[in-house]
Every structure is written in C-alpha cells, then in structure tokens.
Amino acid sequence: MSVISDVKYFLEKLLPLVEEKKRTAWLEQVAVWRDASIASQCPAAKMHPRDIIGAVCDMTDKETIYVTDVGQHQMWAAQFIKHRNTKAFLTSGGLGTMGFGYGAAIGAQVGCPDKRVIHFTGDASFHMNLNEACTAVSEELPIITVIMNNHVLGMVYQWQSSFYDRRYSATVPQRKTDFVKLAEGFGAKSFRAETPEEFKEAFAAALQEKGPVWIECIIDQEEKVLPMIPNGGTVEDIILN
Ligand SMILES: Cc1ncc(C[n+]2csc(CCOP(=O)(O)OP(=O)(O)O)c2C)c(N)n1
Ligand SMILES: [Mg+2]
C-alpha cells in the first residue's frame, strides 16, 4: 500500500497515534559502542579532529552556527559536533563543493551578527576561496576558521588508501602554504596548534577577537573517517578500523 499526502499534514495525523518509547537502555548501550569506536580510532595521534571539535563545542554556546567545507573534516564535523540547535549546521551535503565554507560562513555571520560562526575547513578546500578573507577583514566579521591541515586532499586520499592499494593520484599536493603568515597578510589574526592544549589556548584567544581568526591545526595525514560504508555497499560491508 502506498500513501500520497502532504508530509506535514500526514505527520500531524500520524504522530498522535504513535506511542513514544524512550528506549533509554538501548540508547545508553549505543553511546557505549560509539565511545569505544571513537576511542579505538585515535590511540597514537597527537591531536585527533574529535579533540578539536569537542573543544569548540565545549567553548561555544548553543546559538553557535557551525559551517563546513568538503572532505574528511566535514564528516568529522558531522560526527562530533554536539548539535544543540536547529538551523545551526551549514554544510554542502548534496553537491559537496570544496570552497563552499568560507562564503557560507560570511553569509551566516552577516545574516546573524549576534551569533558566533565557526568555520571548519580542510587545507585544500580552504585554498579554493580563502581570498574571501579580504571581505571578512574589511567587514570585521569575527568568524573563527578552524583549518584541519592534514596536508592532503584527505577524503580522496582515504579512498585511494582503502580501495586503490595506496596508489595516490593528485591527492598529495606537497603544498608549503603557511596559513599563519597568509592570514597576517590579509590582516587577519591567526594561530597554529599541534596539540589539544595549544588548540584550546588558541581558540580561547580567538573568541576575544573582533575580526576574523584562522587556527591552523596540524593533524595526521593518515587519519581516517570511520566507520565507513564503501560505495555501493551495505551495512554488511561496513569498515570499522
Ligand atoms: C570543487 C571540488 N573539487 C573536487 C572535489 C572532490 N573532493 C571531495 S573532498 C576532496 C578533498 C578535500 O580536501 P581538504 O579540503 O583538504 O579536506 P580533507 O578531506 O583533507 O579534510 C576532494 C578533492 C569536490 N568535492 N569539490
Ligand atoms: Mg586536507
């Protein structure tokens, strides 16, 4: 049987008929599995994206708007942001366009001048539109850009690692960009962090700034987004580590 209806009308009719079940025990068990799975991903790394995103969420309030670019950092943001509000996560989910982030962050900050805007980006995505720093500086937009610098086009690099026998093509660009100097050239404030402690210190300082700030976070090139289902696969094919 199929039902054709306006979804809003249909859900309004349906919801009163459904009995709410809290499923507390099950959700607690899922949380245990999730924590164990996350912990197993990052035993050796100096700074895992989870540490960065966790610190950002702990140090910002529920009105904060989080914006991403496209790549692994986007997936980590989706996994680890502690979402506390609606309409507070701007991400290029469908077309996945690298370079989306800074323009979207500027739009969010202009549209919501009283809210904090945090822009999570990757080294490669940020290269695509970082010239927009001119606008952010001129307009004194206090956007904090968190650059997760793994020195690779990480999302594609991960695929080439996992499914193409580590035959890397166009994913290791050997760039030597100094994001801290570049930010200074634009007239923006900037920091570099290699440990969770350094990141927290930099982020606390960034929150005091009136204009845009970049924080370059050095993360491991081999960090993976997990769990992951291969293209065309099902949950049966899930990759956990
Ligand atoms: C304009 C554009 N070109 C290419 C791609 C394909 N692509 C998706 S993610 C990605 C790598 C992104 O690298 P980076 O911004 O450093 O993020 P990371 O995955 O390393 O976190 C690429 C090339 C894309 N989505 N958009
Ligand atoms: Mg990268």
Side-chain angles (χ1 to χ4, degrees):
M1 193 181 87
S2 61
V3 179
I4 299 172
S5 169
D6 178 285
V7 73
K8 187 175 174 202
Y9 171 85
F10 180 72
L11 288 176
E12 277 166 2
K13 296 280 173 221
L14 187 70
L15 277 177
L17 306 177
V18 181
E19 190 193 331
E20 187 180 350
K21 290 207 174 101
K22 294 273 183 220
R23 297 189 171 85
T24 316
W26 170 245
L27 291 175
E28 280 170 6
Q29 176 64 61
V30 171
V32 169
W33 283 329
R34 188 183 52 223
D35 290 346
S37 149
I38 291 169
S40 70
Q41 287 174 37
C42 50
K46 267 206 210 162
M47 179 158 66
H48 189 275
R50 180 196 56 167
D51 302 324
I52 300 167
I53 296 162
V56 168
C57 292
D58 290 345
M59 294 169 80
T60 50
D61 65 23
K62 92 181 239 301
E63 296 306 317
T64 305
I65 298 174
Y66 303 102
V67 183
T68 81
D69 252 299
V70 174
Q72 289 180 307
H73 61 277
Q74 176 188 29
M75 308 294 140
W76 288 316
Q79 281 181 317
F80 301 129
I81 287 175
K82 294 163 195 150
H83 293 281
R84 293 163 286 188
N85 216 341
T86 55
K87 299 183 181 172
F89 185 55
L90 305 186
T91 194
S92 182
L95 295 174
T97 318
M98 289 167 72
F100 163 89
Y102 212 17
I106 289 172
Q109 191 67 85
V110 170
C112 304
D114 299 329
K115 294 192 177 185
R116 244 312 140 194
V117 175
I118 310 294
H119 167 215
F120 292 107
T121 186
D123 48 307
S125 290
F126 196 41
H127 269 109
M128 293 199 166
N129 266 337
L130 54 76
N131 54 309
E132 293 299 338
C134 302
T135 311
V137 169
S138 302
E139 300 296 322
E140 272 209 325
L141 303 175
I143 300 162
I144 302 179
T145 292
V146 177
I147 307 160
M148 300 208 192
N149 192 356
N150 51 9
H151 297 94
V152 283
L153 285 83
M155 194 74 257
V156 182
Y157 181 87
Q158 174 168 345
W159 278 64
Q160 291 171 350
S161 301
S162 304
F163 307 123
Y164 295 94
D165 221 5
R166 295 187 173 270
R167 289 193 299 278
Y168 298 116
S169 172
T171 52
V172 190
Q174 307 285 1
R175 287 181 184 146
K176 307 274 186 293
T177 308
D178 185 327
F179 286 104
V180 172
K181 283 193 183 143
L182 196 51
E184 281 166 12
F186 279 110
K189 188 89 186 162
S190 59
F191 300 91
R192 181 174 291 118
E194 300 197 25
T195 64
E197 291 70 32
E198 283 176 9
F199 178 76
K200 279 181 210 158
E201 212 173 294
F203 195 76
L207 287 168
Q208 303 304 318
E209 290 295 322
K210 297 224 176 332
V213 184
W214 302 2
I215 307 177
E216 182 188 14
C217 303
I218 309 298
I219 60 166
D220 197 303
Q221 184 169 316
E222 299 304 326
E223 209 65 75
K224 302 282 182 273
V225 176
L226 293 167
M228 177 192 192
I229 296 177
N231 205 12
T234 71
V235 279
E236 301 272 303
D237 310 303
I238 199 163
I239 300 171
L240 293 172
N241 50 47

